[in-house]
């Protein structure tokens, strides 16, 4: 079995300061190890690869890395401020699909969420990608700060020729007491309202809500879900995707997803090969236990939708502090729907 995708933070450097950022700063893998790791990614044969950061366009050796990954289905997540000219053209020549981090559909909200950002520069980056035919879509860290702009965000992507919008609910950085998360994180009722606002109508683009309870919502509300490849979600894998994907940090730590606490790596490169890291994730007793109804607490343990949801493993660990607990944001917990 191979991973569905490898999500790789190729740099810790970034030119913006995002209020919700989970990324760490630190010493990155040297170029030789980075390129060797790229070869191991290719040998592992994932269905696709996501390159992110930090800001991946800050890497001066990005061209070398793309060359090593040639032949793979590549996605790149950027804030768009550096996507210009030759950079955009090379991504086009390499067939890279570009996803923009878009956490606001207006200057006020966008720049309020991303310190040092320019909404005007972001729009220029989107237009550059559109001209080169590489504008795939956007990812949105959804919080109370931009919750009111969901429809505006989707319409923006429609008008600029993108294909996908993926809403990713805000995750806590330092547990449930993280002040930013406590202030701006979504409630169970917010999640339910968001999914209804998205799926109660038809859009010209495909819209994903990256939460494990999406499939339960689909069954309960009788609405179909998108089937295309957004670059982030795996429509055919129901619920929490931990155990089917790999996240590689800028310094070589191996995790089951990008939100998993980096203090609990499953493996580390180059101490162990990427293949060994994948085997540790795929055969993890922690993940198996999390997806075992008998080892979970109520209400997850008694939920009709457990096998198509499980809850978010990363959020449960960060907020609840134990993997036996239930997902605190599930909209189908008793009394929340």
């Amino acid at each position: 079995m191979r991973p569905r995708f490898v999500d790789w933070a190729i740099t810790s450097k970034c030119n913006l300061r995002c209020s919700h950022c989970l990324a760490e700063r630190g010493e990155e893998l040297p170029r030789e190890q980075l390129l060797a790791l790229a070869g191991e990614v290719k040998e592992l044969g994932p269905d696709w690869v996501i390159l992110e950061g930090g800001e991946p366009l800050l890497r001066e050796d990005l061209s070398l890395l793309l060359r090593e990954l040639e032949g793979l289905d590549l996605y790149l997540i950027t804030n768009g401020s550096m996507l210009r000219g030759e950079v955009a053209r090379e991504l086009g020549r390499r067939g890279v699909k570009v996803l923009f981090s878009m956490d606001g559909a207006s200057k006020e909200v966008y720049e309020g969420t991303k310190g040092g950002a320019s909404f005007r520069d972001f729009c220029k980056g989107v237009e550059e990608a559109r001209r080169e035919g590489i504008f795939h879509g956007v990812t949105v860290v959804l919080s109370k700060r931009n919750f009111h702009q969901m429809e505006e965000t989707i319409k923006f992507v429609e008008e600029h020729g993108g294909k996908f919008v993926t809403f990713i609910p805000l995750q806590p950085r330092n547990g449930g007491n993280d002040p930013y998360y406590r202030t701006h994180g979504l409630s169970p009722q917010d999640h339910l309202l968001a999914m209804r606002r998205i799926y109660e109508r038809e859009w010209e683009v495909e819209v994903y809500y990256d939460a494990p309870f999406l499939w339960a919502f689909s069954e309960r509300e009788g609405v179909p879900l998108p089937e295309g490849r957004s670059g982030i979600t795996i429509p055919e894998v129901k619920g929490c995707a931990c155990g089917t994907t790999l996240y590689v940090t800028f310094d070589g730590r191996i995790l089951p997803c990008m939100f998993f606490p980096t203090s609990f790596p499953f493996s580390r490169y180059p101490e162990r090969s990427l293949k060994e890291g994948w085997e540790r994730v795929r055969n993890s007793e922690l993940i198996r236990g999390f997806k075992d109804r008998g080892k979970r607490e109520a209400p997850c343990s008694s939920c009709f939708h457990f096998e198509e949801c499980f809850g978010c493993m990363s959020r449960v660990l960060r907020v609840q502090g134990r993997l036996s607990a239930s997902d605190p944001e599930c909209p189908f917990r008793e009394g929340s729907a």
Side-chain angles (χ1 to χ4, degrees):
M1 176 181 174
R2 61 185 183 181
R4 298 307 309 270
F5 65 79
V6 173
D7 186 359
W8 186 3
I10 60 175
T11 180
S12 67
K13 298 181 179 68
C14 191
N15 56 336
L16 302 182
R17 302 179 307 279
C18 297
S19 305
H20 52 73
C21 185
L22 296 175
E24 298 177 351
R25 301 290 178 261
E27 187 174 350
E28 301 171 355
L29 292 175
R31 177 179 295 180
E32 295 76 15
Q33 290 182 358
L34 184 88
L35 297 180
L37 179 53
E40 294 195 28
V41 168
K42 194 168 184 178
E43 288 178 5
L44 204 56
D47 288 346
W48 71 94
V49 176
I50 305 167
L51 301 178
E52 58 169 299
E55 173 50 57
L57 298 184
L58 282 171
R59 283 209 70 104
E60 295 180 356
D61 53 6
L62 180 59
S63 294
L64 296 176
L65 183 60
L66 294 177
R67 189 181 307 161
E68 289 293 322
L69 296 171
E70 189 172 4
L72 293 174
D73 190 11
L74 294 179
Y75 295 76
L76 183 141
I77 303 177
T78 177
N79 59 49
S81 62
M82 302 179 65
L83 189 65
R84 301 288 185 273
E86 181 55 32
V87 174
R89 287 190 288 273
E90 176 166 16
L91 294 178
R93 289 194 297 270
R94 300 282 184 186
V96 178
K97 303 176 182 69
V98 174
L99 296 164
F100 290 85
S101 174
M102 183 183 178
D103 300 327
S106 66
K107 173 182 171 67
E108 179 184 18
V109 176
Y110 181 85
E111 296 181 4
T113 304
K114 296 180 178 294
S118 164
F119 188 65
R120 181 181 179 184
D121 286 347
F122 163 77
C123 292
K124 286 182 178 179
V126 170
E127 180 59 23
E128 189 83 9
R130 187 196 64 78
R131 283 197 296 267
E132 294 297 328
I134 57 176
F135 178 33
H136 191 66
V138 303
T139 64
V140 182
V141 176
L142 190 65
S143 70
K144 292 184 184 294
R145 297 186 70 166
N146 55 18
F147 192 77
H148 63 291
Q149 292 191 331
M150 292 175 60
E151 289 85 354
E152 290 178 68
T153 301
I154 298 171
K155 290 176 182 177
F156 177 95
V157 176
E158 288 180 340
E159 292 168 359
H160 289 79
K163 300 180 179 68
F164 296 91
V165 178
T166 303
F167 290 102
I168 305 172
L170 177 70
Q171 289 272 1
R173 287 174 289 188
N174 302 306
N177 292 322
D178 175 2
Y180 190 87
Y181 173 73
R182 287 175 64 87
T183 302
H184 301 291
L186 302 183
S187 69
Q189 294 81 6
D190 289 334
H191 284 293
L192 187 59
L193 177 59
M195 290 185 288
R196 284 175 175 165
R197 283 167 58 186
I198 290 170
Y199 296 109
E200 70 182 5
R201 58 178 289 185
E202 293 186 1
W203 303 96
E204 295 177 11
V205 298
E206 294 202 60
V207 186
Y208 293 82
Y209 197 75
D210 190 12
F213 35 74
L214 175 62
W215 289 265
F217 168 81
S218 173
E219 183 173 328
R220 291 168 71 109
E221 303 271 329
V223 297
L225 298 179
E227 297 180 353
R229 182 178 294 181
S230 71
I232 302 292
T233 54
I234 316 172
E236 63 271 26
V237 175
K238 295 182 177 180
C240 179
C242 282
T244 65
T245 67
L246 270 182
Y247 179 66
V248 185
T249 67
F250 64 91
D251 58 359
R253 282 171 286 181
I254 308 297
L255 303 167
C257 91
M258 68 172 296
F259 300 118
F260 204 81
T262 54
S263 55
F264 297 102
F266 282 51
S267 184
R268 187 183 289 270
Y269 184 87
E271 295 174 11
R272 291 185 175 87
S273 70
L274 185 64
K275 183 178 180 180
E276 290 177 291
W278 164 238
E279 291 300 320
R280 286 187 166 216
V281 169
R282 188 167 73 90
N283 298 312
S284 168
E285 291 298 327
L286 281 178
I287 296 176
R288 287 179 181 173
F290 180 75
K291 296 186 176 183
D292 181 345
R293 183 190 293 271
K295 295 182 179 179
R296 298 290 297 282
E297 302 168 18
C300 280
S301 61
S302 57
C303 179
F304 177 78
H305 301 287
F306 180 79
E307 279 77 16
E308 57 190 14
C309 177
F310 311 111
C312 172
M313 185 175 182
S314 298
R315 182 167 53 236
V316 168
L317 183 57
R318 285 181 181 271
V319 176
Q320 307 284 51
R322 62 191 190 282
L323 287 175
S324 61
S326 60
D327 189 329
E329 293 185 15
C330 177
F332 305 119
R333 294 166 64 92
E334 184 178 357
S336 60

